[in-house]
Amino acid sequence: MRWLFMSLLFATLIGCSGEQTLTPDASNEEKTVLQEPTKEIVEDAGITDSTTQETIPEEETTEKVKDETIVEKAFPNISGGQVLQDENPAANIVEVNLRAHTRTLTFEGKVSDTFYTYNGIVPGPIIRARVGDKVIVHFKNDLPETTTVHWHGLRISDQMDGSPRIQKPIAPGGTFKYEFTVKEAGTFWYHPHVRSNEQLEKGLYGMLIVQEKENINFDMERSIVLDDIYVLNGKIASFMTAHMEVMHGRNGNYLFANGSFSTQNIEVKTGAVERWRIVNVANARTMQIQMKGVKARVIGTDGGLISEPYPFTSTLTIPVGQRYDIEVMFEKEGAYSLDFLAPTQNGVQTIPLVKVSVKGEQPSNPTLPNYPKVDAPSNPKPHRTVDILFDGVQDPTSPAGVAWRLNKKSHWKEPIFTFNEGDVVQMTLRNANAQPHPFHLHGQFFIVLSRDGKSVSEPGLKDSVLLNGNEILVIKAFMDNPGQWMAHCHILEHAELGMMAEILVKPR
Ligand SMILES: [Cu+2]
């Protein structure tokens, strides 16, 4: 068995001027194929959280969560997850209690195991604030290991970013008060930054929504948290034991959206216009979705609303870490679905994620919401130009025998680059591998300029972007937020195995 493993490993290594560059392994492709989830009818009209229906609680959870549809501090109605109770009555402060702890959960008979949860549920509760609010999170770690909380996409102080290079990971039983001001409206998320490949897979992730200054009048907002999970014999499969996982990251064998294996069934009124906030929290899998028959537009991405919404007509590709806000208009009665497209050996498998039944008399005048004016990001001349090479090599000192690298180095200890606050930095990301590397830069936003020399239209400010296999991707980052910031591949196995660096942005 060990011999077989080593053979497989070596089969993937190609000699290259003394160094061995990793290429993907096609010998075991079936693991990336999702099985079709069951399609049980969920009677509740909202997207339900199956953890509330089909769980075997190991312990009573005392955390306060609100009903799915709530009006709080006059936020728009939201469905799809539970919203964390704001304990602070002040209008511009959101103060919440968040506790990470283990809980035995059973999901639809397919997996029963000890999950890691925020406040007892998977996904963790939605944290909601309004742009400009101060957010205070009283965090308690009741996991059997250290952890931190990273606020993915928020441009806050590096002291609050959950980087284990800055914050000493919180010991079991320990607490930490995260406190920051949310500067941008948008769809964000939170997750640990310690042993993240295991801690996220076990259930530690949640959406963080920053509402615009003035509410935008949708009939409903919905959160859709896309994940996959790797289950073997009814348990969360062991970590980093499979060669595929080391090479490609962990691709689950089940799609696990909003904490459910099943298609979610919802009903909406004819004429309704909704905002669907979508995040991909998977360890490695790039998600492709489609929505047919309805009028849908992409209105926002990582950095919030975009200046010019564009039609979501065919498919949308969401690499891990990225977010999209979709405006969906249900003009006519009928049945529609948001589908997940899973590539298989024989083509593409279509799995409905959300089935929408649109009913009711057509309103005489369905109207689109009024959006605040948003300027397109500027594209100034860069102050600096840097290159980052993404590759991997065989490394017997690495726990999995493979080291993933940025500019030929794993686990950078010193800053890979030092910039000054306000610098505009053009970054050329070169992928020496055939497999993709979704790049995430903490604390700053960037725009996407070109792929393989061709300019592309990927509007809006991003903090996460997919670097495709063997691709040269050019982005332009705005180093507006001083501090020490992690920069890494968001395939969590690649990050854990070295594809992890840090940039330093010096204050002016
Ligand atoms: Cu990677």
Side-chain angles (χ1 to χ4, degrees), residues 171-191:
T175 60
F176 191 85
K177 185 179 170 189
Y178 289 98
E179 195 170 343
F180 47 82
T181 298
V182 285
K183 291 185 206 152
E184 280 91 20
T187 302
F188 304 95
W189 62 297
Y190 61 97
H191 64 79

Side-chain angles (χ1 to χ4, degrees), residues 19 98 135 141 143 147 155 165 175 266 277 286 291 314 347 349 380 470 487:
E19 282 190 334
L98 191 69
V135 176
N141 178 18
L143 298 171
T147 194
R155 298 191 311 145
R165 289 151 180 260
T175 60
I266 61 172
R277 298 175 180 268
T286 298
M291 193 153 198
S314 52
Q349 183 187 0
N470 296 316

Side-chain angles (χ1 to χ4, degrees), residues 390 404 436-438 489-491 494-495 499:
F390 292 65
W404 292 102
H437 295 294
C489 176
H490 219 289
I491 289 182
H494 292 177
M499 209 168 243

